[in-house]
């Protein structure tokens, strides 16, 4: 009997000790382990290839895709790669092809020798997509570029798609995906914030939504993205039948009281901040940095830009809404802390 009572006492002590343990419940452990890590990719602009390549070299450990921006269109509605773009694409492939997915971005900018270029040309898109014959001709042009440059992926950044061309655009994505799949080449698609996300997108391609341009050349001073803008954008994105990545913009703008708005990289903005000995401030509604100064001609300026802290705030904000794939526009002129932050995002 004494042995039985002793056994019961020992068992009770064991149970009590287990119940008082500080070890996390199994469910909490699962939730922690299931937390997704950030997956970062970046665009490299062909007009700033040296500094862009340097930024990527110094941050490559935290990057997934490297997107070369890119290919335009000539007067014959055929894809055109500048010498800078070809050089950047070749160097990117040589340096990163074994470790990263290298993608060539196609942009509907119309470039001709004897006339100003037209950015995001809707009429060009209509000609390329208007019927099956036009789409097949354009797809054939893309496949020739794929064959010539041996890229891992193609990205379609066609903006200002007219409402009347939307269904043909969707057909084009589906048809292009089928042809690229035969060559084991991935398809990526950039969507504007104004895209009608209730439209059914074809399965297969990877989609990225631009989360910027709230303020820019078209507006007065302000951040490229705000938290309220991100709230509204995510609500629209939830209507999509696809999983979507989100793109954020680096750098910013200098708004001149009497003159032209000037785009700035992060390094240029911070150099201006130091040179003018301005007071650095951070906007609570966006996380962006802003400051003002008066130049040597007594003209007022207001500068807004994104630094490492801004990007981290934006990314954390959308991660809380379950978006973990982020693309950065763009490499070239990134600050040291931004480069370090990117490099730290390795998913390995």
């Amino acid at each position: 009997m004494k042995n039985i009572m002793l056994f019961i006492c020992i068992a009770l002590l064991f149970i009590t000790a287990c119940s008082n343990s500080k070890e996390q419940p199994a469910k909490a452990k699962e939730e922690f382990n299931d937390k997704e890590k950030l997956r970062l990719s970046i665009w490299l602009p062909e007009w700033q290839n040296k500094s862009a390549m340097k930024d990527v070299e110094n941050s490559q450990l935290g990057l997934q895709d490297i997107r070369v921006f890119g290919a335009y269109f000539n007067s014959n509605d055929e894809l055109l790669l500048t010498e800078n773009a070809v050089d950047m694409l070749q160097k990117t492939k040589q340096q990163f092809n074994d470790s990263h997915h290298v993608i060539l971005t196609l942009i509907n900018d119309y470039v001709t020798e004897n006339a100003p270029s037209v950015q995001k040309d809707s009429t060009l898109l209509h000609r390329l997509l208007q019927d099956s014959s036009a789409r097949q001709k354009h797809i054939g042009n893309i496949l020739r570029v794929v064959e010539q440059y041996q890229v891992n992926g193609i990205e379609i950044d066609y903006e200002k798609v007219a409402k009347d061309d939307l269904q043909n655009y969707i057909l084009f994505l589906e048809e292009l995906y089928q042809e690229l799949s035969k060559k084991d080449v991935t398809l990526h698609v950039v969507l504007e914030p104004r895209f009608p996300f209730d439209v059914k997108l074809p399965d297969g391609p990877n989609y990225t939504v631009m989360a910027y341009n709230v303020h820019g050349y078209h507006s007065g001073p302000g951040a490229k993205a705000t938290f309220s803008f991100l709230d509204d954008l995510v609500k629209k994105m939830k209507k999509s039948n696809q999983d979507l990545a989100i793109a954020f913009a680096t750098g910013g703008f200098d708004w001149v009281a009497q003159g032209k708005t000037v785009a700035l990289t992060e390094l240029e903005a911070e150099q201006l901040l130091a040179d003018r000995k301005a007071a650095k401030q951070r906007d609570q509604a966006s996380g962006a940095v802003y400051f003002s100064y008066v130049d040597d001609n007594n003209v007022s300026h207001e500068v807004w830009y994104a630094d490492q802290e801004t990007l981290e705030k934006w990314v954390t904000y959308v991660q809380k809404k379950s978006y973990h794939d982020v693309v950065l526009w763009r490499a070239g002129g990134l600050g040291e802390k931004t480069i370090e932050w990117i490099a730290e995002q390795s998913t390995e």
Side-chain angles (χ1 to χ4, degrees), residues 243-266:
D243 294 328
L244 304 170
I246 294 181
F248 292 117
T250 62
F253 293 93
D254 181 350
W255 280 270
V256 188
Q258 301 164 18
K260 186 178 180 182
T261 300
V262 179
L264 300 172
T265 66
E266 181 186 359

Side-chain angles (χ1 to χ4, degrees), residues 234-253:
V234 166
K235 285 177 185 176
K236 292 190 289 185
M237 289 168 59
K238 294 291 186 186
K239 298 176 183 178
S240 179
N241 66 311
Q242 299 294 337
D243 294 328
L244 304 170
I246 294 181
F248 292 117
T250 62
F253 293 93

Side-chain angles (χ1 to χ4, degrees), residues 128-141:
L128 295 175
L129 310 175
Q130 59 186 309
D131 54 36
S132 178
S133 177
R135 293 194 302 273
Q136 289 308 310
K137 182 180 178 181
H138 180 37
I139 289 170
N141 186 200

Side-chain angles (χ1 to χ4, degrees), residues 24-42:
Q24 292 180 339
K27 185 177 180 183
K29 275 187 173 182
E30 262 180 46
E31 289 174 355
F32 179 80
N33 290 335
D34 286 345
K35 184 181 178 182
E36 289 193 61
K37 292 193 71 173
L38 174 65
R39 293 179 292 275
L40 274 182
S41 301
I42 201 164

Side-chain angles (χ1 to χ4, degrees), residues 174-217:
E174 187 173 355
E175 293 161 357
L176 178 59
Y177 173 74
Q178 291 171 358
E179 293 303 316
L180 291 177
S181 296
K182 297 174 184 177
K183 297 181 177 294
D184 199 26
V185 174
T186 58
L187 177 59
H188 307 256
V189 181
V190 178
L191 303 174
E192 296 177 88
R194 67 181 186 89
F195 186 83
F197 292 100
D198 53 347
V199 171
K200 186 177 180 181
L201 291 165
D203 295 334
N206 299 292
Y207 299 92
T208 300
V209 180
M210 299 161 54
Y212 48 92
N213 287 349
V214 175
H215 297 90
Y217 292 116

